[in-house]
Amino acid sequence: MLKKLFSHSFLYAVGPQVPKLVNIFILPVITQYLTPLDYGVYGTLIAYTGLLQGVKSLGFDVLLVNSFYKKSKWKAFWSRYLGGLYMYNILFALIYTFILYVFIPQEANENLWLLIGLIVVPTCLFDVTKMFGGRYFQLSQQPKYIAIVSAAVGVLSILINLYVIAYLRWGYLGWFISIAIGSFVTFCCYAIPLYFKVKLKPVFTFNKKFWVKSLKVSLPTIPHNYSTYLLNSSDRLVMDQLKTPINQIGVYNLAYIFGGYLELFGNAVGMAVGPYYAKLYAKKTELAEKQVGQLTVLLQFSFIVLCTIVALWSKQIFQLLITNKDLEIAYSISIFIIMGYAYRPIYWRAVNKLIFYEKTKKLWRVSFVAGALNVGLNFVFIPIYGVTAAAITTFGCLMYLGGAFYALNDYKRLNNSKTYAFLWLFLIIVLTAFIYILRDSDVFVKAIISLGITITYFAYLFKHKHKFSKIEV
């Protein structure tokens, strides 16, 4: 199981995440030609484009997963979902264009319609196919194709960013151009196997009974999915509304980009383990439930170790990769963002179980509340304590998100084993405070701490490897 888990996680990490992850390798080059204003415009635009991402797919992810595992004729269901989303995208494109037209920052007005085209067209024409293609290969446990496609797109993104930003000096436009071209290439790569090999095709049905039944399951997940935006991107929207100087938003956005690499890693592992959780829950046995717990402990320990070491060395990482002195100060902010993503395995255990049993109606009570709380706290504390407050409030709300699902009655009725979720979250909070205190410590001190953590982790793996090898996934 360990070999399969790590190999699939690695493939997903270098697969769908490559177009974003590869940017870290060209930072020393492109940051010479970027300013805090470029990062500020980019971060603000990403925040506003994320405003509608929660409703882009109408929560159909849960329908794709459940129908794939529970329906013998899953292709028929997927075809209907595919046709329905393409019909919905006509309306979505109009709303998306209006939102961008109203809220694009004044500093980007000279490229208004170019930016709208680069953002709206790929989203509405290509993202549905990308979503279905990615889900098919993920649920079929075929990560190699995803990795190959996205690695190619990643290389293309590197070349485009280098050319447009470092050679043409087009600043923030380089990111949006590379994202749009990469989206089109990815669409082509998924469309071929999905439509010609799997023979999936959109079916445009207006069966009221079918859509009412489907939307009752999918729509409650929208506020749940929307919490990702409220937690990860809305802070820059709040800063914009509070008239925070664009340079400060730029510094914060760079810190979030580095923390975002841990989110990308989390997404990769989440894609790899999602089918594992579904298969184990589908067995509905006491042994399978025990193995869910063992898998979660392994993942949680691994995430805490990784986030702790990366956060501890954040200052040195920034000094190595950032050649612009005005941007290097972002490292202290990134500590809270990096450690915030250590909660993910605890979150997966509860959410995957609730989704598998289609207990989605109350998901939003936790996730949307966490996001809304983050927005409210940002409005209160950013004017007082500056952009660092946004990172701290996001961290706190992520901790809440990681544990609150375990308090839902729906989960309690499904769960009959101990999870120790709140002890894990308390450990993350303590480690975050410890790392922030040591952020400017000597390299030797950090090396000793990192070595101790690494030895403890591998000793744990060696001691318990026989348990993990017995998990059938």
Side-chain angles (χ1 to χ4, degrees), residues 140-170:
S140 301
Q141 293 192 348
Q142 301 178 56
K144 289 183 180 179
Y145 187 78
I146 297 176
I148 293 171
V149 170
S150 298
V153 173
V155 172
L156 182 62
S157 297
I158 291 176
L159 297 175
I160 293 171
N161 274 332
L162 283 172
Y163 180 73
V164 178
I165 294 177
Y167 182 74
L168 297 181
R169 312 286 177 88
W170 284 4

Side-chain angles (χ1 to χ4, degrees), residues 223 227 230 363-374 397 400:
S227 66
L230 293 176
L363 287 179
W364 69 272
R365 294 189 180 183
V366 173
S367 50
F368 190 76
V369 166
L373 181 63
N374 185 50
C397 291
Y400 165 81

Side-chain angles (χ1 to χ4, degrees), residues 228-343:
T228 301
Y229 166 77
L230 293 176
L231 287 166
N232 295 344
S233 301
S234 67
D235 40 19
R236 277 145 286 187
L237 184 150
V238 171
M239 293 175 195
D240 182 61
Q241 293 298 313
L242 291 172
K243 306 303 179 184
T244 303
I246 198 73
N247 287 4
Q248 291 185 33
I249 299 178
V251 170
Y252 180 83
N253 189 61
L254 179 62
Y256 221 102
I257 287 175
F258 272 84
Y261 289 126
L262 269 297
E263 182 189 12
L264 296 181
F265 172 78
N267 290 338
V269 178
M271 291 182 69
V273 303
Y276 298 178
Y277 277 113
K279 285 185 176 182
L280 289 171
Y281 285 136
K283 293 180 180 180
K284 299 181 181 180
T285 65
E286 186 176 339
L287 176 60
E289 189 69 32
K290 182 178 180 181
Q291 291 178 336
V292 166
Q294 293 170 347
L295 177 60
T296 304
V297 170
L298 167 65
L299 293 170
Q300 189 60 70
F301 191 18
S302 301
F303 265 64
I304 288 177
V305 168
L306 176 64
C307 292
T308 298
I309 292 176
V310 174
L312 184 64
W313 290 90
S314 59
K315 180 177 182 179
Q316 285 70 30
I317 294 171
F318 270 70
Q319 290 175 339
L320 177 65
L321 294 174
I322 304 301
T323 56
N324 189 324
K325 295 295 182 181
D326 293 333
L327 298 171
E328 283 185 6
I329 60 174
Y331 76 89
S332 60
I333 299 175
S334 72
I335 291 173
F336 296 101
I337 301 168
I338 292 168
M339 291 301 295
Y341 291 112
Y343 81 102

Side-chain angles (χ1 to χ4, degrees), residues 445-470:
V445 174
K446 293 184 178 183
I448 294 296
I449 295 173
S450 300
L451 180 62
I453 292 173
T454 304
I455 291 174
T456 302
Y457 176 68
F458 281 103
Y460 164 79
L461 289 182
F462 181 78
K463 182 179 179 180
H464 298 281
K465 64 179 182 179
H466 65 284
K467 293 182 181 179
F468 306 134
S469 64
K470 294 180 180 179

Side-chain angles (χ1 to χ4, degrees), residues 88-143:
Y88 167 71
N89 263 5
I90 298 173
L91 172 63
F92 182 77
L94 297 175
I95 298 174
Y96 205 1
T97 300
F98 175 76
I99 293 292
L100 290 176
Y101 179 81
V102 172
F103 292 108
I104 277 182
Q106 183 178 356
E107 291 83 356
N109 276 344
E110 59 180 340
N111 297 307
L112 175 65
W113 289 107
L114 175 59
L115 286 168
I116 289 177
L118 290 171
I119 295 169
V120 174
V121 172
T123 298
C124 296
L125 292 185
F126 308 144
D127 280 8
V128 174
T129 297
K130 288 165 55 183
M131 169 187 167
F132 277 68
R135 279 295 181 188
Y136 170 75
F137 284 103
Q138 178 208 0
L139 297 175
S140 301
Q141 293 192 348
Q142 301 178 56

Side-chain angles (χ1 to χ4, degrees), residues 65 173 192 210 215 241 246:
V65 173
L173 277 177
I192 294 172
F210 173 80
L215 293 173
Q241 293 298 313
I246 198 73

Side-chain angles (χ1 to χ4, degrees), residues 7-82:
S7 64
H8 282 202
S9 297
F10 174 76
L11 287 170
Y12 284 124
V14 300
Q17 314 305 339
V18 161
K20 298 176 183 178
L21 187 61
V22 293
N23 284 322
I24 195 171
F25 298 111
I26 62 172
L27 280 175
V29 177
I30 66 174
T31 51
Q32 300 177 60
Y33 308 102
L34 293 169
T35 65
L37 185 143
D38 286 312
Y39 277 100
V41 170
Y42 174 68
T44 304
L45 271 173
I46 291 298
Y48 280 110
T49 58
L51 191 63
L52 293 176
Q53 293 303 300
V55 296
K56 182 179 67 174
S57 64
L58 292 177
F60 275 26
D61 271 332
V62 64
L63 298 177
L64 298 183
V65 173
N66 286 354
S67 60
F68 188 87
Y69 284 109
K70 297 180 179 180
K71 312 288 186 182
S72 58
K73 298 181 179 179
W74 63 270
K75 289 184 184 179
F77 285 86
W78 279 39
S79 295
R80 290 183 175 188
Y81 299 145
L82 185 64

